[in-house]
Amino acid sequence: MPVIPLLLLLFFLSACSSAEKKSLIHAFKFADKNRQELKRILEQYQEDSPKFAASHFIIRNMLGKQSVDTNSIKASQPYFDAWATYFEKYGRYKNGAHYVICDSINRLHPNKRVHTRYIPDLQHISADFLIRHIDYCFHIWQQYPWCKDIDFDTFCKYILPYTTSNCYWEYASDFFLQKYAELRDTVQQKSYKEIGAILSKDVDRTFAQNWVLLNYKIA
């Protein structure tokens, strides 16, 4: 590790709790060949205290996080293609439609089995992705009026995370920015809690069903 980033890391560790210090040290050790990417993040933000603290938060919380190896689930593509075709033709899935689609694919491809493999995030996620993600999250936090009452700890816990469960999508922020563009322009005067409730309701209605489909397919 170069001298400057090492001194910077040691200086920041002095302000952390013992548990946070231990987590960061373990994260760097576990990153193995990918630790150079983590160093690049610290170097990027060594002159920006809030973003440096945010990058520390992300790195130490990457412990235990893993992502699906897309190559290991390529055999599942026919399911996604069939669901997309159905949705384009009929709109929302009717009751039981996803089971019929899955059964049909199983009959057409009886030997296709998905053996999902996971890769630790610390060992493969790039500095470019996380730097872009951190910058974008700070932009969102500082741009919108409903974020003015969100403190740094809340920001780190609920805006900054790049992943959920065992997957992350590199272009998720672009997708959701476009998906909720109309909503964004109509809720300027609402609080972040009210907006969160609106989004939660939409997620429950729209995306929860797709999660059920995915679980059914993999099982």
Side-chain angles (χ1 to χ4, degrees):
M1 182 181 286
V3 175
I4 293 178
L6 176 58
L7 293 176
L8 187 67
L9 178 60
L10 292 175
F11 174 77
F12 189 77
L13 283 174
S14 67
C16 299
S17 69
S18 58
E20 290 174 342
K21 292 178 185 178
K22 184 179 296 185
S23 295
L24 190 62
I25 292 172
H26 285 335
F28 268 85
K29 288 182 179 179
F30 189 73
D32 197 21
K33 296 178 181 179
N34 200 48
R35 66 170 62 103
Q36 287 295 335
E37 296 296 294
L38 304 186
K39 294 175 187 177
R40 281 182 55 204
I41 301 172
L42 297 179
E43 291 171 357
Q44 174 74 17
Y45 297 125
Q46 58 184 311
E47 302 297 334
D48 189 329
S49 297
K51 289 185 179 180
F52 187 83
S55 65
H56 169 273
F57 179 90
I58 282 186
I59 291 172
R60 64 184 173 81
N61 280 286
M62 288 173 72
L63 282 166
K65 305 300 186 302
Q66 55 187 3
S67 304
V68 174
D69 176 9
T70 54
N71 289 323
S72 72
I73 59 172
K74 283 184 176 179
S76 65
Q77 192 59 46
Y79 295 92
F80 292 105
D81 292 340
W83 292 332
T85 299
Y86 182 96
F87 190 83
E88 290 174 2
K89 186 174 182 179
Y90 300 106
R92 293 180 62 83
Y93 300 106
K94 297 179 181 178
N95 291 337
H98 49 288
Y99 297 111
V100 175
I101 293 172
C102 289
D103 289 341
S104 297
I105 296 297
N106 287 335
R107 287 194 296 271
L108 290 172
H109 305 280
N111 297 320
K112 280 191 178 294
R113 291 292 181 269
V114 178
H115 301 286
T116 308
R117 188 170 75 92
Y118 295 93
I119 305 174
D121 288 356
L122 282 166
Q123 296 180 3
H124 82 95
I125 288 184
S126 70
D128 288 339
F129 165 72
L130 287 177
I131 289 171
R132 185 168 62 250
H133 175 77
I134 292 170
D135 287 344
Y136 175 78
C137 289
F138 270 84
H139 168 71
I140 293 297
W141 186 31
Q142 296 165 357
Q143 179 181 9
Y144 297 112
W146 57 79
C147 293
K148 66 181 184 300
D149 296 325
I150 298 177
D151 59 32
F152 185 73
D153 287 341
T154 303
F155 165 78
C156 286
K157 292 178 180 178
Y158 296 103
I159 297 178
L160 188 62
Y162 67 91
T163 184
T164 177
S165 187
N166 285 324
C167 61
Y168 83 97
W169 179 22
E170 191 164 353
Y171 302 103
S173 57
D174 297 329
F175 172 82
F176 286 109
L177 185 64
Q178 181 178 357
K179 176 177 174 59
Y180 292 109
E182 183 177 349
L183 173 64
R184 178 195 62 214
D185 296 334
T186 60
V187 295
Q188 296 291 324
Q189 304 306 316
K190 293 184 180 295
S191 69
Y192 73 88
K193 292 183 179 179
E194 291 174 315
I195 295 172
I198 294 172
L199 293 176
S200 179
K201 184 177 180 180
D202 184 81
V203 169
D204 288 342
R205 184 178 68 252
T206 306
F207 292 97
Q209 182 180 26
N210 292 339
W211 181 246
V212 171
L213 299 181
L214 181 60
N215 284 337
Y216 175 82
K217 173 189 66 61
I218 293 177

